[in-house]
Amino acid sequence: MAGKIGIAIHGGAGTILKSLMTPEKEAAYTKALKEALMAGWNQLNNNKSSIDAVTEAVEMLENISLFNSGKGSVFTNDGDNKMDASIMNGKDLRAGCVSSVSNVKNPVILAKKIMEESEFVYLNGKGAEAFAKKMDLKFENDEYFFDEFRHSQYLEALDLDRVQLDHSVEPNRINSHIGTVGAVALDSEGNLAAATSTGGMTNMKFGRIGDSPLIGSGTYANNKTCAVSCTGHGEYFIRAVAAYDVSALMEYQHLSLEKASEIVVYKKLKDMNGEGGLIAIDKNCNISMPFNSEGMYRACIRSDTQALINIYRE
C-alpha cells in the first residue's frame, strides 16, 4: 500500500514586508511558487521518486528570474554569475554538490548528475562545468543570466564596497528577487529527498561559498528522520551545521520535526544572529517551515491537505 506523499518548497527568506510588496509582484511570486510546487507534486502523484520531485521543483524555480538561483542569480565582485546547488537522497545518503559554476542553466540537474553518474559528491568551478558538458547538460550565454535589477544591485554594492545578502537589500527595493531556492519531499515508497540552489551573495569575493552546496549545512536528507533545505545568511548555517542538526535532534533526542527545526531556527541560529529559515519534511509526512526573518517565500502540499502558499509572517 502506498504511503503518504508531500512536498515543500522555498524561494528565500529575509526582510519581506507586505507593505513594500506591490500586488503585481505578490501575484508573480505566488504564481511562481504554486507552479513549482505543483510540478514537484505531479511527480509524486505519478509515482516518481522524491529525488525527481525536488529536482523538478527546484529546476522550475531556477528558470524564473524572480529568485536568486539559475536565471536570477546575483553578480559576483567580478561581474559574473557563480551558482551553487546540492541534492541528497535520504534512502541511501547519496548526494551531489556543485559550486562556483557559470552558464550552466540548471545547477540542480548538475548536482543530480554528480550524485547519480560520478563517484564523487562535490565538484567545483571549471571541473564541474567540464563534467556538465560531458553529461550534455544545457548551457546558456551570459545574456540569459543578465537581469537589470540584479545588475543595479551589483553596481551599488560595488560602489559601496560591500558584500550584500540578496534578502537584505535596501527597504525600497525589497519587493523583488529574494533568495536561495529549495525543495524537500517524501514519496510513496517512504523515501525522503532535499535539494537547494543559489546564486550566492551580491558582490561576493575570493571564491566565497555559502551553505547551499554543503551537505549538512544547507541540505540534508535521511529516511530515518527528515529532509531539510535551508535559506538565509549562509555563514551562520555553515557554523550551525543547520540542516543536519534538525535530523540529529530528531534521531538522538527523539524530538518531533517541528520542535527540532524550531530549536535550530529560533534558538541556535538566532543566538548567533543568523537570519533565515528552512523547510523540512519527516518520514511521517509532517512539514515544518520556520523562519526568524520578516518573511519567507514558501509553499507545501500533502496527500491530506490543500496547497499552502505563504510569503509573510502569519
Side-chain angles (χ1 to χ4, degrees):
M1 181 178 177
K4 292 180 181 179
I5 58 174
I7 184 170
I9 67 171
H10 71 75
T15 310
I16 307 165
L17 303 173
K18 190 173 181 64
S19 60
L20 299 172
M21 182 77 74
T22 66
E24 294 77 16
K25 281 293 182 184
E26 183 175 295
Y29 281 116
T30 300
K31 180 174 182 288
L33 288 169
K34 183 176 182 179
E35 289 178 351
L37 180 72
M38 298 315 295
W41 177 247
N42 289 337
Q43 292 286 311
L44 296 174
N45 260 330
N46 290 322
N47 293 317
K48 299 291 187 180
S49 72
S50 53
I51 284 290
D52 292 329
V54 297
T55 303
E56 183 76 10
V58 171
E59 179 184 357
M60 286 199 67
L61 293 170
E62 287 177 338
N63 291 341
I64 302 169
S65 60
L66 290 171
F67 304 102
N68 177 21
S69 65
K71 183 177 174 64
S73 295
V74 297
F75 289 87
T76 71
N77 179 255
D78 293 327
D80 58 5
N81 309 108
K82 296 293 186 186
M83 298 172 286
D84 309 331
S86 62
I87 192 167
M88 187 167 185
N89 191 337
K91 180 180 180 179
D92 51 18
L93 304 186
R94 293 173 67 204
C97 312
V98 60
S99 61
S100 295
V101 293
S102 298
N103 302 106
V104 177
K105 183 180 181 184
N106 293 111
V108 71
I109 296 179
L110 175 52
K112 184 171 181 279
K113 287 290 186 182
I114 293 168
M115 178 179 70
E116 295 177 342
E117 304 291 340
S118 82
E119 65 269 45
F120 308 116
V121 170
Y122 195 134
L123 298 181
N124 178 68
K126 296 299 183 184
E129 291 168 15
F131 181 76
K133 290 174 182 175
K134 181 180 179 181
M135 292 292 105
D136 201 28
L137 298 190
K138 189 166 185 179
F139 281 68
E140 296 286 354
N141 58 30
D142 291 344
E143 287 71 27
Y144 173 84
F145 296 94
F146 183 86
D147 179 87
E148 189 58 48
F149 179 85
R150 294 290 193 213
H151 198 249
S152 65
Q153 278 185 323
Y154 161 64
L155 292 177
E156 180 183 356
L158 193 65
D159 183 58
L160 296 172
D161 191 27
R162 72 180 183 196
V163 176
Q164 181 171 291
L165 279 173
D166 188 53
H167 56 265
S168 301
V169 294
E170 296 302 319
N172 65 336
R173 308 175 75 181
I174 283 167
N175 59 2
S176 295
H177 303 303
I178 308 291
T180 301
V181 306
V184 295
L186 173 71
D187 64 32
S188 60
E189 299 297 319
N191 295 318
L192 293 162
T196 312
S197 179
T198 189
M201 298 168 70
T202 299
N203 197 34
M204 60 186 180
K205 306 174 183 179
F206 311 120
R208 178 263 181 188
I209 303 295
D211 65 307
S212 295
L214 300 181
I215 296 304
S217 293
T219 304
Y220 191 74
N222 188 329
N223 278 8
K224 292 180 180 178
T225 53
C226 62
V228 183
S229 174
C230 300
T231 175
H233 194 156
E235 276 66 18
Y236 295 97
F237 284 78
I238 294 170
R239 295 169 193 165
V241 199
Y244 174 70
D245 203 32
V246 176
S247 175
L249 287 167
M250 294 178 67
E251 184 173 2
Y252 302 121
Q253 292 195 19
H254 309 292
L255 299 183
S256 68
L257 176 73
E258 182 177 21
K259 183 64 175 178
S261 58
E262 288 180 352
I263 286 174
V264 171
V265 173
Y266 299 141
K267 174 63 177 171
K268 190 172 185 179
L269 287 167
K270 195 78 170 177
D271 287 351
M272 300 167 65
N273 294 317
E275 181 188 8
L278 60 82
I279 55 172
I281 186 169
D282 69 14
K283 62 182 182 180
N284 298 314
C285 209
N286 297 304
I287 292 174
S288 182
M289 301 188 290
F291 56 97
N292 61 33
S293 49
E294 293 290 343
M296 182 169 77
Y297 293 102
R298 62 203 188 276
C300 67
I301 186 171
R302 303 185 309 184
S303 25
D304 57 350
T305 63
Q306 297 293 314
L308 176 69
I309 302 169
N310 281 317
I311 298 174
Y312 317 107
R313 184 166 293 286
E314 297 294 341

